[in-house]
Amino acid sequence: MIMIKRLLFILIFNIAFCAIAQNVSEKLFAVKQKNNNIGIGTIRLTEPYLSPFEYQGNFIHFSQEQISLFNPTNKKLSYNLGSDFKIGKARHPNKNNGLFLYEINGFAGFNRHFTIQNNLSLLIGSDIDLTVGGKYMGRNVNNPFSLDLNSNINATAKLFYKFSLLDVPFRLSYNVKTSLLGVMFVPLKGLSYYEMYSLNSWQDAFHFSSLHNRQMIKQGVNIDILFNCATFRLGVKHQTLKYSANDMVFKNNQVAFSIGTVFYFYKFRGNKVKNTDNFIPAL
Amino acid sequence: MKQIIQIIFIVILLFSFQSCIMDEPTVQPNTNEGNFNALWNIIDKQYCYLDYKNINWDKVYQSYQPKLKNITNQYELFDLLSEMLSELKDGHVNLYSNFDKSRYSNWFTDYPLNFYKDLIFNKHYLGRNYRIAGSLVYKKIANDKVGYIYYGSFSNSFSNSNISAIFSQFKTCKGLIIDIRNNGGGMLTNAEKLASYFFTEKTLTGYIIHKTGNGHTDFSTPKPIYTEANQTLQWQKPVIILTNRSSYSAANDFICRMQYAPKAVIIGDVSGGGGGLPMSSELPNGWMVRFSASPMLDAKKQQTEWGISPDIQQNITDEDRKNGYDTIIETAINYIENQ
């Protein structure tokens, strides 16, 4: 009797254990796809608070972006986060004056996936971003610095195409982003930063922005080369930005080239699960 | 999918339609005419005293523009543009090139000097054994009854501990003299900071306005400027501010604040003025122009551009100078001793 009870206990235990193991092996994991880039670019900008003329120059930039599915069981919805840092210098058309510039941009958004064909997918979405930057022109008196501060809701679209060449898998992507609405900091031309910061006078400095006074398109083409050990990315980005407030028109057009890497990762807790088929990337 | 494509098409259409709304300003070419027009337009749209000074800027254009045809090189162009800017009669207006800087100095050259370095550094005043705290030169004078500070430029900073040391040195004095003659200005924050030691409570001491448009009278409502009392150091004995026509810009702002300090008296000549906070712009050839952009007013909303009158008008007499005395300092000493 005791033996039968023991056998019964072991049987029930094993059945239960197998059931749990089955659940673990059926669990799906949303893998993050993260890419880091470094690059150089050229810039043409008009910053009327500092100078009425178009300055041209160069910059270096560092960017990172990650994309992941919200739910690995639903391959149609993903989120992405990213940031970009630029630093550079631009010169007056007559080459006898210059300004320094820097910019930090961070964004968070979501994408809806559409599979057009087996190797062609389209992601349509939206993101919200925040840009903090500045331009410094040392020889200006009382207005040597112009702050860039804006936040926007943007519409985004990404197209991905996978193909192989000489047995090497490639992924070609095109992405585009445009501002829809937001808020931006543009003080009056005659309003000094002394008055703003020392006297707390911020009147007419913040503006609602939409397509009527801010037009921005950021586009990029990337080619990912998928090797066994890693994925390398080559990219080119283009930005056209024009905005106006307080009778001033600002422009900021950029072209940048970059190289980078793409990694897929997932954070584990507890025991490692080895079944790689359950790891679902967004792309 | 079809709907998405339609939405994208509408956004692109909206984009291209809206792009014609943002009219860009005309950028002048890098020619003599272009640089002249650029400078004239910058002053026309951004200089803040055209209306206050009754300057007919259109007439200035008509007077100077015909002279352009005689210009043969950049030096002549610079001189012509400098001459045009001198019509503004403003020490805050300068044109900068890589070979020269234009300036208008009649705001002090047309008046008595009223300051001689050899006088303030002679045996009667600072002599050789003065002390320097931060950027403040100081010593007890008049048989140690009066504390004397010379402050040469508001571009130079000082700290709370510098002021504490000076006040500590002068604690047995009947009064204090702060000499800001020939102080051409500098940082407004230093003017505000120095004034704060002579107030016992937050006091309205002025206003500032800025241009809100391109018209000569497009200004904001005046924004009040207060001088806060320093919380740890307050001089509560008489303080005399010495001024001359070369007390300009931030020095003028300091005088404007000190007018309202409880125990302050201004002695000397009318200050040089320079009440407009300057800003900068550029010409097509890269030359920089500095100009007054934001007028600063006193607490009664009166302009300070032409200077602030002293409470006691005093010039240095030739006789006193010959005898090694600075009449303005002596007037201040007598005032303090009679309190």
Side-chain angles (χ1 to χ4, degrees):
Chain A
M1 194 62 193
I2 294 168
M3 202 62 196
I4 293 167
K5 279 182 186 174
R6 278 184 186 166
L7 278 169
L8 206 61
F9 174 75
I10 290 165
L11 189 66
I12 292 166
F13 182 77
N14 281 337
I15 290 168
F17 187 76
C18 288
I20 294 166
Q22 190 69 18
N23 285 343
V24 168
S25 69
E26 284 174 354
K27 194 176 176 186
L28 300 176
F29 303 93
V31 170
K32 287 188 176 65
Q33 175 188 305
K34 188 168 179 181
N35 75 278
N36 299 300
N37 300 302
I38 183 170
I40 56 171
T42 62
I43 185 168
R44 297 164 68 109
L45 62 98
T46 307
E47 175 56 65
Y49 190 77
L50 300 178
S51 167
F53 300 101
E54 182 182 270
Y55 275 56
Q56 294 181 36
N58 302 297
F59 61 90
I60 57 171
H61 76 103
F62 309 91
S63 64
Q64 63 89 20
E65 184 176 350
Q66 64 182 39
I67 185 168
S68 178
L69 293 170
F70 277 108
N71 185 338
T73 59
N74 179 4
K75 294 182 187 177
K76 290 197 175 352
L77 209 57
S78 64
Y79 68 89
N80 58 322
L81 310 166
S83 61
D84 184 89
F85 172 69
K86 289 184 187 74
I87 186 164
K89 188 177 174 180
R91 303 194 74 185
H92 185 278
N94 227 35
K95 306 279 188 283
N96 52 5
N97 191 33
L99 61 83
F100 289 98
L101 58 100
Y102 77 93
E103 183 185 288
I104 302 165
N105 173 269
F107 66 87
F110 69 91
N111 309 286
R112 172 77 163 86
H113 295 228
F114 298 92
T115 305
I116 301 168
Q117 284 176 14
N118 206 17
N119 55 351
L120 181 64
S121 53
L122 174 67
L123 276 62
I124 303 280
S126 175
D127 71 27
I128 185 162
D129 72 2
L130 173 67
T131 302
V132 179
K135 296 160 190 99
Y136 177 76
M137 189 182 287
R139 74 173 189 178
N140 273 15
V141 176
N142 285 329
N143 60 322
F145 179 75
S146 177
L147 175 70
D148 292 325
L149 181 63
N150 60 81
S151 180
N152 302 280
I153 296 172
N154 309 299
T156 62
K158 300 178 184 67
L159 198 62
F160 291 90
Y161 177 64
K162 294 177 191 173
F163 64 97
S164 285
L165 206 62
L166 301 171
D167 289 333
V168 178
F170 289 84
R171 183 171 54 217
L172 182 66
S173 63
Y174 167 78
N175 56 81
V176 63
K177 178 190 290 198
T178 184
S179 290
L180 297 176
L181 51 94
V183 64
M184 59 185 180
F185 170 80
V186 181
L188 281 164
K189 196 184 268 190
L191 183 64
S192 63
Y193 277 51
Y194 165 77
E195 193 175 338
M196 279 188 275
Y197 290 104
S198 297
L199 305 180
N200 233 15
S201 177
W202 299 92
Q203 60 202 87
D204 299 322
F206 288 94
H207 305 264
F208 167 73
S209 64
S210 72
L211 289 173
H212 78 285
N213 65 352
R214 183 185 173 86
Q215 293 148 20
M216 188 272 293
I217 287 188
K218 283 186 186 176
Q219 304 178 79
V221 174
N222 295 311
I223 180 122
D224 294 348
I225 309 163
L226 286 75
F227 294 110
N228 282 343
C229 54
T231 299
F232 292 100
R233 173 170 288 186
L234 302 168
V236 59
K237 288 186 199 177
H238 176 258
Q239 171 184 294
T240 304
L241 169 62
K242 187 174 171 182
Y243 59 98
S244 81
N246 291 332
D247 293 324
M248 292 185 283
V249 178
F250 298 76
K251 292 201 291 189
N252 189 323
N253 300 334
Q254 303 171 15
V255 175
F257 297 92
S258 62
I259 56 170
T261 54
V262 181
F263 285 105
Y264 297 86
F265 67 94
Y266 184 79
K267 284 184 189 173
F268 292 96
R269 270 184 191 171
N271 293 326
K272 206 187 275 191
V273 178
K274 291 179 184 176
N275 189 341
T276 57
D277 288 344
N278 290 6
F279 289 92
I280 314 296
L283 301 166
Chain B
M1 191 61 205
K2 214 173 168 182
Q3 284 168 338
I4 293 162
I5 292 167
Q6 283 172 346
I7 291 165
I8 292 169
F9 177 72
I10 289 165
V11 168
I12 292 169
L13 199 62
L14 273 169
F15 209 106
S16 45
F17 172 71
Q18 297 287 351
S19 65
C20 63
I21 287 176
M22 283 194 266
D23 289 328
E24 293 180 44
T26 310
V27 176
Q28 297 290 339
N30 185 10
T31 59
N32 287 345
E33 184 95 23
N35 284 295
F36 177 88
N37 288 335
L39 181 62
W40 187 89
N41 276 307
I42 286 166
I43 299 299
D44 185 52
K45 289 176 183 165
Q46 298 180 59
Y47 183 69
C48 61
Y49 288 125
L50 288 175
D51 183 64
Y52 173 65
K53 292 182 179 179
N54 288 321
I55 297 170
N56 188 333
W57 197 237
D58 290 330
K59 204 171 169 185
V60 169
Y61 184 95
Q62 287 155 15
S63 168
Y64 284 87
Q65 200 275 344
K67 297 177 184 175
L68 276 174
K69 62 179 185 289
N70 302 326
I71 299 299
T72 57
N73 59 53
Q74 58 176 348
Y75 298 97
E76 289 175 3
L77 177 66
F78 186 90
D79 290 341
L80 178 71
L81 298 183
S82 302
E83 202 183 322
M84 182 171 77
L85 291 178
S86 69
E87 299 282 349
L88 301 172
K89 295 182 172 48
D90 192 330
H92 272 148
V93 174
N94 307 96
L95 182 65
Y96 295 80
S97 69
N98 59 333
F99 56 83
D100 201 357
K101 169 187 165 184
S102 79
R103 56 238 172 244
Y104 174 80
S105 50
N106 292 37
W107 49 273
F108 67 91
T109 57
D110 288 349
Y111 297 84
L113 221 54
N114 279 324
F115 179 78
Y116 301 95
K117 240 182 180 164
D118 59 306
L119 279 184
I120 67 160
F121 282 101
N122 78 12
K123 59 181 180 179
H124 300 298
Y125 310 114
L126 288 171
R128 287 185 181 182
N129 297 326
Y130 54 85
R131 295 191 188 275
I132 305 171
S135 47
L136 303 165
V137 180
Y138 69 102
K139 191 184 171 188
K140 283 189 210 172
I141 61 173
N143 297 320
D144 291 353
K145 286 185 211 153
V146 174
Y148 173 85
I149 299 172
Y150 181 69
Y151 188 23
S153 172
F154 280 94
S155 296
N156 301 329
S157 298
F158 52 88
S159 65
N160 244 15
S161 78
N162 292 145
I163 298 293
S164 174
I166 293 171
F167 284 4
S168 179
Q169 272 278 298
F170 293 163
K171 63 184 174 209
T172 55
C173 298
K174 288 184 76 176
L176 176 63
I177 293 172
I178 300 179
D179 191 349
I180 57 163
R181 291 175 294 170
N182 276 31
N183 182 321
M187 291 168 61
L188 285 173
T189 45
N190 283 339
E192 182 184 352
K193 185 177 175 185
L194 186 59
S196 70
Y197 299 110
F198 304 99
F199 285 82
T200 52
E201 57 182 5
K202 180 176 169 179
T203 307
L204 174 68
T205 54
Y207 291 88
I208 188 168
I209 54 177
H210 59 265
K211 292 211 72 186
T212 54
N214 294 332
H216 296 175
T217 55
D218 291 344
F219 289 103
S220 64
T221 51
K223 176 82 180 173
I225 297 173
Y226 293 91
T227 300
E228 302 266 359
N230 188 286
Q231 293 305 304
T232 53
L233 293 166
Q234 291 175 6
W235 180 269
Q236 297 189 20
K237 297 183 196 178
V239 55
I240 313 294
I241 316 303
L242 304 188
T243 66
N244 68 349
R245 283 298 295 181
S246 294
S247 304
Y248 193 74
S249 192
N252 196 64
D253 177 65
F254 175 70
I255 297 163
C256 182
R257 291 172 188 269
M258 292 301 287
Q259 287 181 104
Y260 305 101
K263 297 202 177 195
V265 173
I266 319 290
I267 295 178
D269 199 355
V270 177
S271 67
L277 194 72
M279 292 181 87
S280 304
S281 188
E282 289 185 322
L283 305 188
N285 59 8
W287 293 350
M288 187 190 91
V289 58
R290 184 179 81 142
F291 53 90
S292 300
S294 298
M296 297 183 77
L297 318 173
D298 66 14
K300 293 174 189 165
K301 296 186 184 174
Q302 301 301 306
Q303 293 277 5
T304 60
E305 168 66 1
W306 296 129
I308 296 167
S309 296
D311 297 310
I312 300 171
Q313 174 79 38
Q314 181 66 65
N315 291 333
I316 295 177
T317 63
D318 290 336
E319 195 180 341
D320 277 349
R321 194 190 166 197
K322 215 187 299 181
N323 295 327
Y325 286 96
D326 185 313
T327 322
I328 296 174
I329 297 178
E330 293 301 320
T331 307
I333 291 170
N334 288 335
Y335 182 93
I336 289 170
E337 285 180 339
N338 290 332
Q339 290 303 296

